[in-house]
Amino acid sequence: MSLFFRREKEVRRLIGEYFEVADRAIEEFELAVGCYLGSGPCEQFREIDARIHAAESEADDLLRRIEKMLYSRSLLPESRGDILGLLEHFDKMPNLAETISFMLDTQQVQVGDAYRAAVAELVEVNVEAYRLVRKTVDKLFSSPDEVGEAVLPVDEKESESDRLEGKLIREVFASDLDGFSKIMLRELIQLIGDISDSAENVAGRLEIISLKKRI
Amino acid sequence: MWQLVSGAYLGWALGANDASNVFGTAVASRMLKFWTAALLCCLFVFLGSVLGGAEGMHTYGSMSKTTLNTAFLTGLVAALTVTIMTWMRLPVSTSQAVVGALIAVGLFFGKLQIGVLGKVVACWVGTPIGALVAAVILYLLLGKVMNLLGLNLFQYDFVMRWGLVMAGSYGAYALGANNVANVTGAFVGEGMLTARQACVIGGLSICLGVVTFSRGVMLTVGSGLVKLDAFSAFIVILAEAVTVHMYAVVGVPVSTSQAVVGGVLGIGLVKGVRTVNRRVLANILVAWVSTPVIAFVFTYGACFLGQRLGWL
């Protein structure tokens, strides 16, 4: 029996570690985009890109270990399902960070001077959405009654991101850029906006999980 | 005392079938290893049998006077009835089979105590109803406590898992205390076995059924209960344990399976959803009538034949 409860502690430790690694991936992502917008695909950007890739891989490894532990007699089936569903959805955010950084590195998307500030703002709003949902995750594991309130700012950030995204895409397609650059830029903008969309999905899940625990 | 074989067989079948009602959820959800659950179940079934099983023995002893051979017949026919009903996929109650057989013996030899019989039948009806009421009260009461505690996901999980282990252990205790009389109750009195001896032998034979054959049933029945959320499953097991234990104190062996159905119905009532379909309820009603009737007919026939052959 004690072995069985030790497994639960180990799962908790791994989940904590997973979120730390995911946080690292997003922090590096913010740095990477800032660096790219400032000086293009320079050596420093490539170093940060490598760190994002490493963090994303580490997060994936941790996720596999958590899944394996959860299916080998840890936690109740409903808790297992809740945690696995939450982590799977949450993991989309570090994945997006890696995808965007990889795209900037390999496709060297041209972000003209006219759009740099708006793209930087979009990144800031999306990273903020991530941080807000991350706080909500902490609430689930500490004071679940506060989850309902904590998800509201995440929804607001997602709406803000949608507005910025729409405005930026309209501006890009109204510009004199060639068609290929327009499509590349649109893809970049949409991928950045996907971070807050994922944050909103995770927030929705968090709310459902906390409601399910109310009897 | 080779006649005890039929009682031991009945105990084995009871252990194999009814352990699922107390530890099925924990095993089917892979929260406890089968062997951990089986050992806990055996420990508490045995404790329940020895510490709380005597009352039921006295009830059966006073219902109908038996000899070693009629006790053997009672056990054998009850076990066969359980087998037939299980084959027909009806929620069989060992208690109802044993009582049907005891009535037959009592009537055949003109030694039936009608007063005791009335008390037993009233308790049969009271089992699912009692479990239903217990489930509703426990759900509302403990639900309030859980909400007040405001547990986080891991704390909730921890409390629920311990709750299921403790409710399962209590359920096993209640199972032993209540159902051991089904196994060896017919052998008590007339210089056959003392109540204490019958409790020990009955408890051990139930344990044998738990360790040798309950794994499959635990997985089948447990996965049905796992579909309920953890708190509801915990309440169902606790309501079943409380109900069955109460009847153990009164001294009337009842069906744990029917108590589980009552508990699940209670959860449905609180949540405003249908947790048990009409077919299951109809099957219980059919089993209520057919189990004792089949056991009665077979035992009466066997008594008739045994007397003709000069064996009884």
Side-chain angles (χ1 to χ4, degrees):
Chain A
M1 191 93 69
S2 59
L3 177 74
F4 157 67
F5 285 114
R6 271 207 300 275
R7 276 175 195 270
E8 185 232 285
K9 277 188 184 166
E10 178 65 4
V11 169
R12 287 192 72 163
R13 191 187 65 76
L14 286 176
I15 289 173
E17 211 174 302
Y18 167 82
F19 283 119
E20 278 174 22
V21 174
D23 288 351
R24 209 166 68 222
I26 297 293
E27 276 165 25
E28 298 285 10
F29 162 75
E30 199 178 13
L31 279 178
V33 179
C35 183
Y36 185 88
L37 292 175
S39 12
C42 58
E43 194 50 42
Q44 195 194 353
F45 168 77
R46 292 215 168 84
E47 279 170 18
I48 303 171
D49 175 55
R51 292 204 293 269
I52 296 172
H53 179 73
E56 199 275 335
S57 293
E58 200 182 332
D60 281 349
D61 290 346
L62 283 165
L63 208 56
R64 297 291 89 78
R65 282 173 66 190
I66 293 166
E67 277 173 7
K68 209 172 159 188
M69 279 214 116
L70 282 176
Y71 282 114
S72 60
R73 288 190 191 85
S74 301
L75 305 183
L76 292 164
E78 66 186 68
S79 305
R80 269 177 228 159
D82 287 343
I83 288 177
L84 285 176
L86 172 68
L87 292 179
E88 267 170 33
H89 279 75
F90 193 93
D91 199 48
K92 285 180 183 161
M93 291 185 279
N95 281 348
L96 279 166
E98 194 211 21
T99 305
I100 296 165
S101 181
F102 181 75
M103 183 189 179
L104 292 174
D105 181 33
T106 54
Q107 299 171 31
Q108 305 196 350
V109 183
Q110 296 299 313
V111 185
D113 290 343
Y115 309 113
R116 273 187 199 149
V119 170
E121 193 187 353
L122 186 65
V123 169
E124 197 187 315
V125 169
N126 277 274
V127 168
E128 188 55 27
Y130 170 86
R131 288 190 179 123
L132 286 168
V133 84
R134 183 65 184 80
K135 274 184 194 164
T136 317
V137 170
D138 284 343
K139 292 273 182 209
L140 182 77
F141 294 131
S142 57
S143 38
D145 290 344
E146 294 169 26
V147 166
E149 215 170 294
V151 297
L152 297 174
V154 182
D155 290 345
E156 284 166 16
K157 281 289 162 199
E158 195 273 336
S159 302
E160 194 181 337
S161 168
D162 277 352
R163 274 196 305 276
L164 285 172
E165 207 181 315
K167 187 173 167 254
L168 201 49
I169 290 173
R170 268 191 296 275
E171 281 176 17
V172 167
F173 277 86
S175 72
D176 298 332
L177 285 172
D178 61 86
F180 179 72
S181 298
K182 282 178 183 174
I183 289 167
M184 291 288 283
L185 208 47
R186 185 195 61 192
E187 198 182 327
L188 176 68
I189 293 162
Q190 282 177 333
L191 279 172
I192 296 169
D194 285 348
I195 294 177
S196 58
D197 289 340
S198 296
E200 193 190 32
N201 283 341
V202 171
R205 281 195 160 256
L206 289 166
E207 201 171 11
I208 290 168
I209 294 170
S210 72
L211 283 174
K212 271 166 66 181
K213 299 290 173 261
R214 297 283 303 171
I215 293 154
Chain B
M1 248 220 224
W2 61 269
Q3 289 92 338
L4 265 174
V5 169
S6 68
Y9 169 52
L10 191 59
W12 174 83
L14 198 146
N17 276 300
D18 286 20
S20 61
N21 290 332
V22 289
F23 274 108
T25 310
V27 173
S29 65
R30 296 165 62 90
M31 169 197 134
L32 274 186
K33 283 182 185 170
F34 167 74
W35 280 109
T36 312
L39 287 176
L40 276 174
C41 192
C42 282
L43 173 69
F44 284 98
V45 160
F46 189 73
L47 280 176
S49 303
V50 174
L51 300 176
E55 206 56 44
M57 298 285 181
H58 294 138
T59 303
Y60 277 178
S62 60
M63 185 189 289
S64 173
K65 300 295 172 200
T66 52
T67 63
L68 265 179
N69 286 345
T70 54
F72 168 76
L73 261 186
T74 306
L76 186 67
V77 173
L80 286 173
T81 307
V82 168
T83 309
I84 292 168
M85 299 297 280
T86 306
W87 178 71
M88 289 165 72
R89 292 177 180 273
L90 289 169
V92 64
S93 158
T94 313
S95 318
Q96 289 171 348
V98 171
V99 169
L102 279 174
I103 294 170
V105 170
L107 271 181
F108 191 85
F109 293 102
K111 290 174 179 171
L112 181 68
Q113 303 295 315
I114 296 290
V116 184
L117 180 64
K119 172 179 150 185
V120 169
V121 173
C123 289
W124 287 352
V125 182
T127 305
I129 296 169
L132 184 149
V133 173
V136 170
I137 294 170
L138 287 168
Y139 190 97
L140 295 174
L141 212 68
L142 295 180
K144 271 220 162 67
V145 174
M146 290 290 282
N147 284 343
L148 280 174
L149 288 173
L151 303 174
N152 70 41
L153 194 124
F154 286 113
Q155 290 167 329
Y156 172 88
D157 196 271
F158 182 85
V159 168
M160 279 302 103
R161 278 183 296 155
W162 272 110
L164 283 168
V165 171
M166 285 194 282
S169 301
Y170 176 39
Y173 179 90
L175 173 70
N178 186 287
N179 272 220
V180 70
N182 287 326
V183 181
T184 41
F187 294 90
V188 176
E190 301 281 337
M192 290 182 283
L193 288 177
T194 64
R196 176 54 61 92
Q197 286 169 335
C199 287
V200 171
I201 294 168
L204 288 175
S205 60
I206 297 173
C207 292
L208 191 68
V210 174
V211 294
T212 56
F213 218 74
S214 68
R215 187 198 292 258
V217 192
M218 273 196 195
L219 291 172
T220 312
V221 175
S223 53
L225 279 179
V226 164
K227 282 173 194 152
L228 295 173
D229 60 278
F231 183 72
S232 301
F234 162 69
I235 293 296
V236 168
I237 296 167
L238 195 58
E240 175 226 328
V242 168
T243 310
V244 172
H245 189 198
M246 273 167 56
Y247 285 119
V249 174
V250 177
V252 179
V254 292
S255 162
T256 52
S257 310
Q258 292 178 6
V260 165
V261 173
V264 175
L265 272 171
I267 296 294
L269 209 64
V270 181
K271 290 186 154 185
V273 290
R274 186 185 286 174
T275 45
V276 179
N277 64 33
R278 286 203 183 109
R279 195 191 165 102
V280 173
L281 291 178
N283 280 347
I284 287 179
L285 287 175
V286 170
W288 261 344
V289 180
S290 54
T291 308
V293 168
I294 292 172
F296 174 88
V297 170
F298 279 124
T299 312
Y300 202 90
C303 285
F304 183 77
L305 205 67
Q307 201 179 47
R308 280 292 174 96
L309 296 171
W311 186 61
L312 291 174

